[in-house]
Amino acid sequence: MTAAARTASSPRRRRRRAGGVTLLEVLVSVAILAIIGTLIYGAFDGMSRSRAGISRISDRYHQGRGAIARISRELQAAFLSRHQPADKNITVRLTAFTGEDSSPTDRVDFTAFAHRRLLRNAHESDQCEIGYFGSRDPERDKLDLVRREAKFIDLEPTRGGVVNVLAEDIESFDVRYLDPVTGEWVDSWDSTQPAAQFERLPSQVWVTLVLNGGPGGEPIKFETKVPIAMQVPIAFGAN
């Protein structure tokens, strides 16, 4: 082959080499794309996990605040009544305020002007029985704070009605009561017993609710002091 022919064929060979890629270049490109894809996936996965964690913690705070707000609102509406028939044998209702000290959850039951009538023409008033106490969930083996409400007041102010979960997975529920006579906080209350706080209501109720599942796995504590406005039992026309 002459020098002129070699010169003429050399650019064609260079063009053929420039028009394609080698296997090594393909492997390097695939490796780079895989690394970039892994980094992008990791970033999105981390963002998704962070968002889920923040949402879960936000739900816990929302649930705790909602529970405390409802307990406070209904405790403020607690009342006692001395209205009873002259014949005690025909008594059909008993108003009360009782608080039981136990661990890890206390229990409080009371009568209150807190019922909301949801159905038109329903034969209900704003008077009801309400209770708050802990109940263990058998499916998840966790302790929940539940709310009991009976639309009608009967002779058993600590039983009956419908029970619903108010706050899930709690660590503790503590209730204390300020005695207006002694000015001291006590752990239990019973307005039905002459040896206790007969026909009396506490002037304030100190409620502490602790939920599991807070930031970093730490519990979340909610606390409030609720004043009870109606200190004297209702006795219009009673002797």
Side-chain angles (χ1 to χ4, degrees):
M1 181 181 296
T2 63
R6 286 197 300 272
T7 303
S9 61
S10 180
R12 287 196 295 270
R13 286 197 298 271
R14 287 198 297 269
R15 284 197 296 270
R16 283 198 298 270
R17 286 198 298 269
V21 293
T22 63
L23 179 61
L24 180 61
E25 292 171 337
V26 172
L27 294 176
V28 171
S29 300
V30 171
I32 293 173
L33 289 175
I35 293 173
I36 294 174
T38 302
L39 295 175
I40 294 175
Y41 173 80
F44 277 101
D45 183 63
M47 292 173 58
S48 177
R49 289 175 181 271
S50 298
R51 181 177 181 180
I54 293 173
S55 177
R56 178 181 57 81
I57 293 174
S58 176
D59 289 342
R60 299 300 287 161
Y61 274 101
H62 177 74
Q63 191 175 74
R65 286 192 294 265
I68 286 292
R70 183 159 197 175
I71 294 171
S72 301
R73 182 174 64 250
E74 293 179 342
L75 279 172
Q76 290 175 353
F79 78 97
L80 297 176
S81 175
R82 289 178 180 162
H83 290 167
Q84 296 291 347
D87 186 356
K88 300 298 182 182
N89 295 321
I90 60 174
T91 300
V92 295
R93 50 183 281 154
L94 173 65
T95 59
F97 191 106
T98 62
E100 179 184 347
D101 182 37
S102 60
S103 179
T105 60
D106 293 347
R107 174 166 184 154
V108 57
D109 295 273
F110 55 96
T111 48
F113 294 112
H115 177 65
R116 295 183 177 182
R117 190 177 64 178
L118 302 179
L119 300 176
R120 180 181 296 179
N121 299 326
H123 295 287
E124 304 168 5
S125 70
D126 57 352
Q127 302 179 33
C128 62
E129 298 173 357
I130 296 177
Y132 293 101
F133 54 93
S135 177
R136 189 161 294 279
D137 187 344
E139 296 182 357
R140 301 191 304 164
D141 193 28
K142 294 181 179 180
L143 191 62
D144 298 333
L145 176 64
V146 298
R147 175 184 180 272
R148 178 191 67 88
E149 180 182 353
K151 295 183 292 185
F152 304 103
I153 300 175
D154 55 22
L155 293 175
E156 297 181 315
T158 62
R159 300 179 59 183
V162 178
V163 177
N164 293 308
V165 175
L166 187 64
E168 300 176 341
D169 190 16
I170 70 171
E171 182 177 284
S172 64
F173 176 62
D174 182 70
V175 186
R176 302 189 69 196
Y177 314 92
L178 181 61
D179 193 328
V181 175
T182 64
E184 297 180 352
W185 290 96
V186 295
D187 295 326
S188 61
W189 197 274
D190 194 343
S191 67
T192 64
Q193 299 298 322
Q197 296 86 11
F198 187 63
E199 292 188 345
R200 293 197 293 119
L201 289 171
S203 58
Q204 291 188 54
V205 181
W206 189 348
V207 181
T208 304
L209 174 63
V210 181
L211 303 184
N212 292 316
E218 296 295 323
I220 309 172
K221 184 177 182 180
F222 301 89
E223 198 169 22
T224 187
K225 292 181 180 178
V226 185
I228 297 182
M230 193 175 297
Q231 291 290 297
V232 180
I234 298 174
F236 300 121
N239 294 327

